[in-house]
Amino acid sequence: MALSDGEMTGQRLLLAFDGRDGIPAEFAKTMQAYRPAGLTLFRHLNIDNPAQLRRLTGLLQDAARQMGLPPLLIAADQEGGQLMAIGGGTTLLPGNMALGATGDPDLARRSGEVLGRELAAMGININYAPSCDVNSNPRNPGIGIRSFGEDPQMVGVLAAAQIEGMQSCGVAACAKHFPGHGDTESDSHHGLPVVPHDMSRLQRVELPPFQRAFAAGARMVMTAHMALRALDGPDAPPATLSRRVVTGLLRELLGYEGVVITDAMDMRAITQGDALGEHAVRALEAGCDLLLVMSDPKDQERVYGAARRALEDGRLDRASFNASLARISELRKWLAGQPDPPDLDVVGSLLHCAVADDIARRSVTLVRDEAGLLPLRLQPAARIAAIVPKPLDLTPADTSSYVVPTMAASLRELHPNVDEFVVSQTPSDNEIAALVERVRGYDLVVLGTLNAFAQPGQQALVAQVLKTGILTVVVALRLPYDLASFPQAQTFVATYSILEPSMKALASALFGAEHFEGKLPVSIPGLYSIGHRWER
């Protein structure tokens, strides 16, 4: 039966809503009215734990059947590491840059299997992952450890392996953020980043990982809200709204045939308010198949209304519109052909946790040990001060604020006398002075940093602790670029993750129970090149 214009419009939308225990009455009316292709679920709006999520996705699919809708596409951002839409109870994978430090495609594939198997068990059939961005700019605020690293070929190999693993478990992977968000100096959540490079550079650095992802069969790709001047000139719009990028580059030049979805349409790189409807239409004109719309009912009305009017008045070409619907239908057919989802007990299983532990163990990197401190050989009575900044979300694409620091607890498993000091993300001079005074009586300081290269307070804290002369191991718990801000640190380790598996691996390596196996997946400007590992 042919769809009405209203139904055709709804099938180009993924909506969001605020609710955990069921479908709020008002959103049920929205679903009935707009008849969307599916939904995106978010940790702060919809998710408490795996069992609750499985109930919610079941209720959503039941409601869709009752409304006469096709099975819903239900998506989430479950990247591992820094961004985990589903937290407590799922496997704490260290994340992409940790995988980059291992350089192992088999581990990347196994991580994809863990992600896919767990999401399928919870009723999620699309994962907005992996990030195929090449993190070539240390000052990039939006990607960082979400990237596999700085080398385009390695990023592509690992992304492709993760996609294959994920999709082997029946969950569609979404390669993002096309055409590559790794060399920008602003975050598209807050404004419009610009990529200044010419096509030659894009073909060398930004595009190869996506080509690998497409060759691996990625069922979906997400566009980036960033200006690509090489194609659109000095006044380039966000790539999401550019026909030259989405149709010309992605479809025609690179030959991608899967589903194209926008990044979230509420991000500030896209004009908000009443203009949002017009920009949604421009995204569809550019060649995007699905619009990722957030939970604001007014925004949903703006986007749906503008898209429907554009279809009805002929602005949106019906042949192109139907081609998009056919691609979305093909994705549904692929999902329908997957095996039944596994039981919920696979989530956080011992087998999956072993994969996380392997990634953590093989990623922890000894960048420098000029002091010859490692492995630690301490007397039982020796006292260790473990200092870590309080984890915060440094970007909207971040769930670090949910993490409770475990560095001290992990050290304590191997040495009895460890005291924890959790400091502010940006400690003041008074806080630094008080803390330095408190640790003067300790025999060793293990000092964690979280992107200290962008946090002057953390830089000052490290400098003051090092001036005490106490034996100190500085640990970059996120990006390893921190060392460039305090090159006087003689012993420096990178973990790329604050999650518990990485903290346990750190403790084991510091005390010599395991070897440091990781290699830098990015360069530290002025100090060390990609692939570096300290050799005695």
Side-chain angles (χ1 to χ4, degrees):
M1 186 173 66
L3 299 178
S4 68
D5 286 352
E7 290 171 321
M8 291 173 66
T9 302
Q11 286 299 300
R12 304 290 297 276
L13 308 181
L14 288 194
L15 303 181
F17 70 99
D18 189 348
R20 287 173 162 77
D21 299 322
I23 307 172
E26 285 303 311
F27 187 70
K29 293 177 183 177
T30 298
M31 285 184 64
Q32 185 69 63
Y34 298 165
R35 307 184 73 75
L39 306 163
T40 306
L41 302 183
F42 295 91
R43 189 163 180 167
H44 67 289
L45 295 177
N46 310 110
I47 301 169
D48 289 327
N49 56 64
Q52 168 267 333
L53 179 56
R54 179 61 187 243
R55 288 192 299 271
L56 179 60
T57 56
L59 289 171
L60 290 167
Q61 295 290 14
D62 288 344
R65 281 190 292 271
Q66 293 168 12
M67 294 177 188
L69 291 171
L72 295 171
L73 306 177
I74 302 182
D77 277 299
Q78 188 75 346
E79 296 180 5
Q82 172 183 319
L83 182 56
M84 297 181 64
I86 307 109
T90 59
T91 300
L92 300 176
L93 293 169
N96 287 351
M97 193 164 284
L99 281 165
T102 74
D104 189 342
D106 181 61
L107 271 180
R109 185 175 293 103
R110 289 163 62 196
S111 75
E113 291 169 353
V114 170
L115 291 167
R117 201 174 291 122
E118 295 195 355
L119 288 171
M122 294 180 286
I124 303 290
N125 52 32
I126 295 171
N127 191 12
Y128 295 144
S131 167
C132 294
D133 308 291
V134 178
N135 205 73
S136 55
N137 187 338
R139 294 282 173 180
N140 185 335
I143 302 301
I145 57 170
R146 300 169 67 194
S147 167
F148 292 102
E150 185 179 322
D151 176 60
Q153 299 308 316
M154 181 58 72
V155 171
V157 167
L158 296 178
Q162 191 174 83
I163 287 166
E164 290 169 353
M166 199 183 309
Q167 293 189 163
S168 73
C169 297
V171 170
C174 179
K176 62 186 185 186
H177 306 78
F178 186 84
H181 212 318
D183 191 8
T184 56
E185 294 197 2
S186 61
D187 188 334
S188 53
H189 289 90
H190 306 300
L192 180 62
V194 173
V195 176
H197 305 301
D198 61 19
M199 279 302 300
S200 175
R201 149 67 190 236
L202 292 169
Q203 289 172 333
R204 291 195 318 273
V205 177
E206 278 75 17
L207 297 181
F210 288 97
Q211 292 171 290
R212 290 265 195 172
F214 302 158
R219 293 281 164 175
M220 185 177 282
V221 63
M222 178 180 286
T223 60
H225 300 328
M226 61 182 206
L228 192 62
R229 290 178 175 171
L231 290 183
D232 285 308
D235 298 320
T240 297
L241 311 185
S242 169
R243 186 166 181 82
R244 288 189 178 95
V245 173
V246 181
T247 297
L249 178 58
L250 177 57
R251 293 283 190 209
E252 296 173 355
L253 184 62
L254 300 184
Y256 183 65
E257 297 180 348
V259 173
V260 177
I261 186 170
T262 71
D263 207 339
M265 293 297 290
D266 71 331
M267 293 163 64
R268 297 296 163 178
I270 301 289
T271 306
Q272 300 298 301
D274 290 338
L276 184 60
E278 166 63 19
H279 287 296
V281 173
R282 289 180 61 190
L284 297 176
E285 287 181 312
C288 296
D289 298 309
L290 287 169
L291 302 172
L292 200 172
V293 187
M294 296 298 290
S295 59
D296 186 333
K298 290 183 179 179
D299 283 349
Q300 294 174 355
E301 182 180 3
R302 289 176 177 121
V303 169
Y304 174 83
R308 180 170 178 170
R309 287 190 296 273
L311 176 62
E312 291 173 343
D313 66 20
R315 177 178 172 184
L316 290 174
D317 176 70
R318 284 188 178 270
S320 297
F321 209 100
N322 286 329
S324 283
L325 293 177
R327 284 188 286 268
I328 296 165
S329 178
E330 187 62 30
L331 174 58
R332 276 206 183 89
K333 288 179 183 177
W334 181 82
L335 291 171
Q338 301 306 306
D340 290 339
D343 292 336
L344 201 58
D345 58 10
V346 304
V347 180
S349 64
L350 291 176
L351 179 64
H352 288 185
C353 290
V355 175
D357 290 341
D358 280 351
I359 297 169
R361 176 179 56 81
R362 294 184 54 195
S363 62
V364 174
T365 306
L366 180 58
V367 180
R368 170 189 286 178
D369 187 22
E370 293 176 350
L373 282 182
L374 303 180
L376 295 172
R377 295 288 185 261
L378 300 176
Q379 295 299 316
R383 300 172 67 209
I384 299 176
I387 303 172
V388 62
K390 179 178 175 59
L392 297 176
D393 296 339
L394 302 185
T395 166
D398 195 345
T399 52
S400 299
S401 61
Y402 292 89
V403 178
V404 176
T406 59
M407 187 175 78
S410 298
L411 293 169
R412 206 174 288 124
E413 290 182 8
L414 297 172
H415 187 82
N417 296 320
V418 179
D419 293 325
E420 180 180 57
F421 300 89
V422 179
V423 299
S424 304
Q425 182 79 210
T426 55
S428 66
D429 290 345
N430 288 340
E431 186 177 4
I432 292 169
L435 179 60
V436 169
E437 194 60 34
R438 292 183 69 186
V439 302
R440 284 190 185 279
Y442 285 82
D443 301 284
L444 175 74
V445 174
V446 180
L447 175 50
T449 62
L450 290 170
N451 286 15
F453 66 91
Q455 302 285 354
Q458 288 187 47
Q459 297 171 26
L461 172 61
V462 173
Q464 291 303 312
V465 169
L466 293 176
K467 283 182 179 178
T468 66
I470 302 169
L471 298 178
T472 300
V473 178
V474 181
V475 183
L477 302 173
R478 195 153 166 151
L479 284 165
Y481 307 123
D482 289 359
L483 182 60
S485 298
F486 31 79
Q488 70 272 32
Q490 293 188 303
T491 304
F492 184 78
V493 177
T495 65
Y496 319 99
S497 168
I498 58 174
L499 300 178
E500 186 173 7
S502 296
M503 296 301 92
K504 289 182 176 294
L506 168 67
S508 293
L510 289 179
F511 281 96
E514 298 283 354
H515 295 294
F516 287 97
E517 294 190 34
K519 296 181 180 180
L520 283 177
V522 295
S523 56
I524 302 177
L527 293 173
Y528 299 111
S529 60
I530 186 172
H532 167 80
R533 173 172 64 194
W534 184 261
E535 301 290 349
R536 290 181 173 78

